[in-house]
Amino acid sequence: MKFIVLTLFKEMYDNFLSNSIIARAISKGLIEVKLVNIRDYTKDKYHRVDTAPIGGGAGLIMKAQPIYDALINNSNPNTYKIIMDPKGHTFNQSKAIELSKKEEILILCGHYEGIDARINKYFDEEISIGDFILTGGELASMCIIDSVSRLINGVISEESIVEETFNSSLLEYPQYTEPYDFNGDKVPDILYSGNHKEIYKYRQYQRLTITKKYRPDLYNKYNLTKEDIKILKERENNIQTKKELEAINKGKKFIKSK
């Protein structure tokens, strides 16, 4: 997978490309990231890449010519071309999976008050990473490169990808480390049982209930399987039974909730 980034601020990528998983993926030849300075392609004698908007308005607009020349000199007909733009489709895991199947992706990072609208027709898609404003597209492009890269075969373990949040529209289950007891909070005993079937059921129940609580929008899109329904019923019945036993042990009459 090759990424080509058209930017005015190449230095912003220094740490991003030289650390952690991305750096290892580059060193292994699994991904390639080419940074292109748009300013290198301006024909303005003062090397300007922006100007005041025609018709008035605040700020400066990136000119079409430097972007166009940077684009045609660093892409080919098979390059998938993206503009980072707040009016684009919101980026999500499904889009990351779709992009991971491309051979080459070019990303244009806007800056200042935007870009000349006449450049849009030379790109395949506009993408936003959320409903908020950044000073430029660089940070957003890093999110896309990171998210897509980790889906490339060999970048991270396949097992990690399969169980991750959003791969099935459900949030991930809670994870724990030693010690067993931390400030009174104990690791659930089921995780020490060695019973992988029961551990799976426990974790799937956690994913379902956590998603329903924190992201009902995702939960409502998720199609419960027969196994999910069984897990929910078994777990909820088990919780009810525990409450009854606790009440009996305390010598209290337990009243079932309707």
Side-chain angles (χ1 to χ4, degrees):
M1 164 69 75
K2 181 177 182 179
F3 296 96
I4 304 161
V5 183
L6 307 188
T7 175
L8 293 174
F9 300 95
K10 292 172 62 175
E11 63 275 9
M12 289 184 67
Y13 295 84
D14 290 347
N15 286 333
F16 172 65
L17 298 177
S18 60
N19 287 283
S20 191
I21 291 172
I22 297 299
R24 291 198 297 270
I26 292 173
S27 67
K28 291 179 181 179
L30 299 174
I31 67 169
E32 177 185 351
V33 181
K34 179 182 179 182
L35 302 176
V36 177
N37 190 341
I38 299 170
R39 198 177 300 277
D40 292 341
Y41 292 88
T42 183
K43 294 179 180 178
D44 184 278
K45 64 180 181 179
Y46 298 108
H47 301 290
R48 290 176 299 195
V49 294
D50 50 42
T51 188
I54 295 175
L60 299 170
I61 304 298
M62 290 178 66
K63 300 165 71 172
Q65 176 273 313
I67 295 174
Y68 177 77
D69 284 357
L71 175 66
I72 62 172
N73 280 281
N74 293 280
S75 63
N76 61 65
N78 295 321
T79 305
Y80 194 74
K81 307 169 185 71
I82 298 169
I83 299 178
M84 300 311 308
D85 193 301
K87 69 176 181 293
H89 295 106
T90 303
F91 186 70
N92 57 25
Q93 189 65 14
S94 295
K95 176 58 66 174
I97 294 171
E98 178 187 328
L99 293 178
S100 71
K101 296 177 173 62
K102 307 291 184 184
E103 292 184 5
E104 185 170 287
I105 296 174
L106 181 145
I107 304 175
L108 168 62
C109 301
H111 232 275
Y112 310 121
E113 288 299 313
I115 65 173
D116 189 314
R118 292 171 294 181
I119 208 69
N120 291 39
K121 67 180 182 180
Y122 300 105
F123 287 78
D124 298 299
E125 184 175 10
E126 296 172 20
I127 292 179
S128 166
I129 63 166
D131 297 334
F132 52 90
I133 300 171
L134 296 171
T135 55
E138 283 75 17
L139 290 175
S141 75
M142 292 180 208
C143 291
I144 290 188
I145 293 171
D146 186 282
S147 180
V148 173
S149 293
R150 61 201 318 282
L151 297 173
I152 304 302
N153 187 35
V155 173
I156 62 174
S157 69
E158 188 175 345
E159 182 181 7
S160 295
I161 295 174
V162 170
E163 294 190 350
E164 283 181 332
T165 295
F166 302 123
N167 275 350
S168 63
S169 297
L170 295 177
L171 302 180
E172 195 169 3
Y173 50 78
Q175 298 276 23
Y176 302 90
T177 61
E178 297 294 346
Y180 168 69
D181 188 324
F182 177 72
N183 291 343
D185 291 326
K186 299 176 181 178
V187 176
D189 292 331
I190 184 65
L191 299 179
Y192 288 100
S193 69
N195 188 326
H196 297 295
K197 182 178 179 180
E198 291 303 315
I199 290 174
Y200 165 77
K201 289 163 66 175
Y202 165 79
R203 285 175 167 171
Q204 186 65 1
Y205 177 78
Q206 293 296 318
R207 296 187 74 193
L208 291 165
T209 54
I210 288 171
T211 304
K212 186 175 183 179
K213 179 178 180 180
Y214 293 102
R215 290 294 303 273
D217 56 318
L218 294 177
Y219 185 82
N220 291 334
K221 292 178 183 178
Y222 177 74
N223 293 320
L224 290 171
T225 65
K226 289 182 179 179
E227 185 178 27
D228 290 332
I229 295 171
K230 184 179 179 181
I231 288 172
L232 287 169
K233 287 182 178 179
E234 285 181 356
R235 186 72 185 173
E236 287 166 1
N237 287 337
N238 187 44
I239 291 172
Q240 187 71 18
T241 300
K242 284 183 177 180
K243 288 181 179 178
E244 291 177 1
L245 289 173
E246 288 174 1
I248 292 171
N249 289 335
K250 291 179 180 179
K252 298 179 181 178
K253 185 176 180 181
F254 184 81
I255 301 175
K256 290 186 177 180
S257 59
K258 295 182 180 179

